[in-house]
Amino acid sequence: MSKTREDSVAIVADMRRVVTDHGVERLEKVRIGGIDQWVSIRGSDRRNPVLLMLHGGPGWVSMPTSWYFQRGWEEFFTVVQWDQRGAGKTYASHDPDAIAPTMTRERMVADAVEMVAWLREAFSQDRIFVLGQSWGSYLGLEVARQRPEWLHAYIGVGQISNAPESERRGWAWTLEQARQDGNAEAVEELMSLQPYAQGTAPVPLDDLFKQRKWLNHYGGMVHNRRGGQAEAAALWLAPEYTDADLAAVWAGNDYSMTHLLSGVLTLDMTTIRELQTPLFLFLGRHDHNVSSELAAEWFATVDAPCKELVWFEQSAHEVMNEEPGKMLLTLVAHVRPMATGAEGPGASVRRCRQD
């Protein structure tokens, strides 16, 4: 008998249901930045350290695919997925025209700071972990810079560094792949974008999408795949999402990109040379969507209480989906020990090393 989406989602939801004695499994709206914003909070023991994941995009939510990559994390962290302003379930809950004036980088950073403050209070924990992926790595790095005393550590995945230079390197790499492939159509289209991402002027979105079409085609976003279709299809199995929420994902993604993406691509985060919180970077060796090579160059210049860069050799931009096992092991073995206070039990197992 064929299964409906409702049937399939029920299977996923039941398999990952939290049934442990001290577990937490919540899907709710939180008042952040003057509007209701949706969070999923899941973990096997609410006494575990809190880990807030800041999704990419802007507008590309990670809550609806977290059923795939996150289940193991929940045994060691209380994991919070948050659909940011203008994205996912939060987008679906508001009139887009009403919140449009608030769709600014400054407001998004303030929302992230406010979310961390709410989690600290809700779970009675002075410090939490913040993991930022892609666009979320801009927000996360700003939180780490502004409120280091609130964090055990900051983890950057697909970390934004110098965005204009990343765009230029991504374009050059894609053109090289197209020429090696003898793909005349791709070469012609990419060459038509010249000069691409010159200076610090915003890249027109039409140009960006043309570049990304071929970058994705050659595995610059997902290693050895031609784009993110598998991840996009996985949204269909999201227990947190209604049919209406799913329909809103794409509208929210377009909406957030329209308001925020061009500005993000002008950012140069390499001016940050010092952090007061431990720094981890998880970088896909084949990431040309947001240059991992460039992020590694920035990492070498940063002074932090301790820092560690972990390469994911079989990944591009979607590390948590491409190498979920290594992601879990790295979070548990390298990151989680940072939750032990300097004076607390187990302090000797802190592994983050100063490079």
Side-chain angles (χ1 to χ4, degrees):
M1 183 176 68
S2 62
K3 296 285 186 183
T4 65
R5 175 178 184 269
E6 184 179 4
D7 294 330
S8 301
V9 165
I11 292 169
V12 173
D14 193 45
M15 279 293 293
R16 68 170 194 155
R17 188 159 55 93
V18 176
V19 297
T20 51
D21 293 339
H22 299 286
V24 55
E25 184 175 17
R26 294 160 55 179
L27 180 65
E28 62 192 87
K29 290 182 286 188
V30 179
R31 196 74 177 174
I32 296 292
I35 66 171
D36 290 337
Q37 304 197 35
W38 281 92
V39 293
S40 163
I41 305 173
R42 300 176 51 85
S44 297
D45 191 330
R46 62 177 293 115
R47 298 167 297 185
N48 276 333
V50 172
L51 187 155
L52 169 65
M53 181 169 180
L54 303 175
H55 66 67
W60 186 242
V61 285
S62 52
M63 187 190 299
T65 53
S66 62
W67 64 265
Y68 171 72
F69 64 80
Q70 180 183 291
R71 187 63 185 92
W73 303 8
E74 296 166 12
E75 296 179 34
F76 303 94
F77 302 90
T78 297
V79 186
V80 182
Q81 293 289 349
W82 163 36
D83 282 8
Q84 298 162 20
R85 179 183 301 262
K89 291 173 71 71
T90 300
Y91 171 83
S93 299
H94 297 282
D95 176 1
D97 292 336
I99 66 169
T102 71
M103 292 294 294
T104 66
R105 293 203 310 272
E106 293 78 13
R107 180 65 259 173
M108 302 298 284
V109 171
D111 281 0
V113 171
E114 194 171 330
M115 180 61 75
V116 172
W118 180 81
L119 289 168
R120 292 172 67 237
E121 182 176 354
F123 287 89
S124 301
Q125 296 188 16
D126 289 338
R127 296 174 184 259
I128 73 166
F129 290 105
V130 168
L131 185 156
Q133 199 266 336
S134 194
W135 149 260
S137 74
Y138 158 65
L139 301 179
L141 194 54
E142 281 296 310
V143 173
R145 188 177 64 83
Q146 295 182 24
R147 295 289 188 270
E149 71 278 11
W150 290 0
L151 305 186
H152 295 301
Y154 166 66
I155 309 109
V157 182
Q159 178 68 50
I160 294 174
S161 52
N162 184 327
E165 177 62 17
S166 175
E167 286 301 306
R168 290 188 284 271
R169 293 193 190 188
W171 176 85
W173 177 85
T174 306
L175 180 61
E176 180 184 4
Q177 306 313 302
R179 284 174 168 162
Q180 291 178 356
D181 191 31
N183 188 334
E185 178 188 1
V187 170
E188 180 180 3
E189 192 159 11
L190 290 165
M191 291 295 288
S192 74
L193 303 179
Q194 294 186 101
Y196 183 77
Q198 292 302 298
T200 58
V203 178
L205 291 184
D206 285 347
D207 290 359
L208 176 76
F209 295 150
K210 288 177 183 177
Q211 186 258 30
R212 288 294 195 275
K213 176 179 72 173
W214 294 113
L215 183 145
N216 293 352
H217 177 81
Y218 288 110
M221 184 180 75
V222 184
H223 183 47
N224 286 335
R225 288 185 184 264
R226 297 189 185 276
Q229 292 89 344
E231 181 183 5
L235 272 66
W236 192 77
L237 295 175
E240 298 91 349
Y241 271 47
T242 65
D243 290 346
D245 292 334
L246 283 180
V249 166
W250 311 108
N253 187 59
D254 292 344
Y255 174 84
S256 293
M257 287 196 298
T258 298
H259 284 88
L260 296 166
L261 185 54
S262 289
V264 173
L265 298 181
T266 68
L267 292 173
D268 183 2
M269 308 296 288
T270 63
T271 57
I272 298 175
R273 296 300 178 90
E274 183 178 4
L275 291 175
Q276 300 301 318
T277 190
L279 169 66
F280 293 85
L281 290 192
F282 295 179
L283 301 180
R285 182 69 73 179
H286 308 279
D287 189 355
H288 300 279
N289 190 74
V290 175
S291 172
S292 57
E293 174 186 64
L294 200 57
E297 293 172 12
W298 167 73
F299 175 87
T301 71
V302 179
D303 184 28
C306 66
K307 62 181 186 177
E308 187 169 352
L309 190 161
V310 181
W311 285 104
F312 287 71
E313 301 293 345
Q314 297 301 317
S315 294
H317 194 55
E318 299 295 325
V319 167
M320 63 278 187
N321 288 306
E322 296 179 81
E323 295 183 70
K326 182 172 182 176
M327 181 81 168
L328 172 62
L329 286 173
T330 308
L331 283 171
V332 173
H334 295 244
V335 174
R336 192 182 187 280
M338 303 307 297
T340 303
E343 298 84 23
S348 61
V349 303
R350 290 165 68 92
R351 293 191 49 169
C352 183
R353 59 181 180 269
Q354 180 68 53
D355 292 331

